[in-house]
Amino acid sequence: MSVKLEIIENFLSRADLDELQSINLKETKHKQMNVYVNKIKDNYVTGEGINEESVKRLHKNYHSQAVEILKKLYPEKAKLYEYSEFGITDTGPEYVFPIHNDTPNKLLSGVIYLSPENNVGTKFYSNKNGKDEINVDWKINRAVFFSRDEKKSWHSFNGDKTQVRRVLIYNLMTSNVREVCK
């Protein structure tokens, strides 16, 4: 497998982690998934899931670190950055999201494991058929970052058998897909 990963332990501050773990969202049922996405551009926030002030604080606290990760993994994409997304994804027990490659508008994709104490991590593969699986194990506040690379960043995730899996999705984004695809 040739996708480059950046794995960071204890990515979020204790206060940010506690807040994101405790956000009260609608119930996520067995074999279902709920996704809440906030966008921030020029300090203007849209979307749902995380309140506006918290999105602004997350952006302030982690943006420069995320840009540095992007520069490390895929430096030529850094100049294309336009806005960030912060989202909460709650994955119900036994829900399976199939192997996929992120859309080209995601310059940097990040997953930060929030809760529960034990669940299933993120799986990466060398192709869309699931060859050469590598699992980034679940650990609360572990962040996994990667930059989409055509035919190299295949990944999937799923919930365990009993608990809702909550993650923070943190993406650096662009609308200039044509440039990304060059």
Side-chain angles (χ1 to χ4, degrees), residues 51-67:
N51 72 56
E52 182 176 338
E53 289 309 310
S54 295
V55 171
K56 288 178 179 179
R57 188 185 65 256
L58 291 169
H59 184 71
K60 180 180 178 235
N61 291 349
Y62 306 105
H63 178 71
S64 60
Q65 186 177 4
V67 169

Side-chain angles (χ1 to χ4, degrees), residues 143-154:
V144 182
F145 287 95
F146 62 98
S147 183
R148 179 190 187 278
D149 192 345
E150 190 68 31
K151 299 182 181 176
K152 293 183 181 175
S153 52
W154 298 101

Side-chain angles (χ1 to χ4, degrees), residues 28-35 89-100 119-121 123 125 155-167:
T28 303
K29 296 183 179 176
H30 186 258
K31 294 190 178 181
Q32 291 185 343
M33 180 173 71
N34 290 320
V35 179
T89 298
D90 285 347
T91 304
E94 296 187 339
Y95 179 88
V96 177
F97 199 93
I99 297 171
H100 65 286
N119 213 288
V120 180
K123 299 170 185 126
Y125 310 92
H155 60 287
S156 69
F157 61 90
N158 57 277
D160 72 5
K161 294 188 184 316
T162 61
Q163 302 177 83
V164 172
R165 173 190 193 266
R166 175 171 284 186
V167 299

Side-chain angles (χ1 to χ4, degrees), residues 16-175:
D16 290 337
L17 176 64
D18 288 345
E19 178 185 351
L20 293 167
Q21 288 174 324
S22 66
I23 293 174
N24 196 7
L25 300 167
K26 78 178 188 179
E27 179 185 3
T28 303
K29 296 183 179 176
H30 186 258
K31 294 190 178 181
Q32 291 185 343
M33 180 173 71
N34 290 320
V35 179
Y36 308 88
V37 180
N38 297 90
K39 296 179 183 181
I40 182 167
K41 181 178 182 177
D42 301 325
N43 217 32
Y44 179 71
V45 177
T46 60
E48 64 175 356
I50 305 170
N51 72 56
E52 182 176 338
E53 289 309 310
S54 295
V55 171
K56 288 178 179 179
R57 188 185 65 256
L58 291 169
H59 184 71
K60 180 180 178 235
N61 291 349
Y62 306 105
H63 178 71
S64 60
Q65 186 177 4
V67 169
E68 288 306 310
I69 294 167
L70 178 59
K71 287 178 180 176
K72 178 180 177 182
L73 297 179
Y74 223 123
E76 55 272 32
K77 288 185 181 182
K79 69 183 187 300
L80 301 174
Y81 169 79
E82 294 176 11
Y83 63 98
S84 297
E85 287 183 346
F86 291 94
I88 298 286
T89 298
D90 285 347
T91 304
E94 296 187 339
Y95 179 88
V96 177
F97 199 93
I99 297 171
H100 65 286
N101 207 348
D102 282 349
T103 56
N105 62 328
K106 291 182 181 179
L107 301 171
L108 181 71
S109 298
V111 179
I112 300 94
Y113 303 148
L114 299 177
S115 64
E117 189 66 37
N118 296 299
N119 213 288
V120 180
T122 307
K123 299 170 185 126
F124 292 87
Y125 310 92
S126 61
N127 66 29
K128 65 182 174 183
N129 298 318
K131 185 177 179 193
D132 304 321
E133 178 182 306
I134 292 179
N135 186 44
V136 178
D137 291 331
W138 183 270
K139 182 179 176 189
I140 290 178
N141 209 8
R142 174 176 283 159
V144 182
F145 287 95
F146 62 98
S147 183
R148 179 190 187 278
D149 192 345
E150 190 68 31
K151 299 182 181 176
K152 293 183 181 175
S153 52
W154 298 101
H155 60 287
S156 69
F157 61 90
N158 57 277
D160 72 5
K161 294 188 184 316
T162 61
Q163 302 177 83
V164 172
R165 173 190 193 266
R166 175 171 284 186
V167 299
L168 173 67
I169 302 295
Y170 180 16
N171 298 322
L172 300 184
M173 306 290 292
T174 188
S175 61

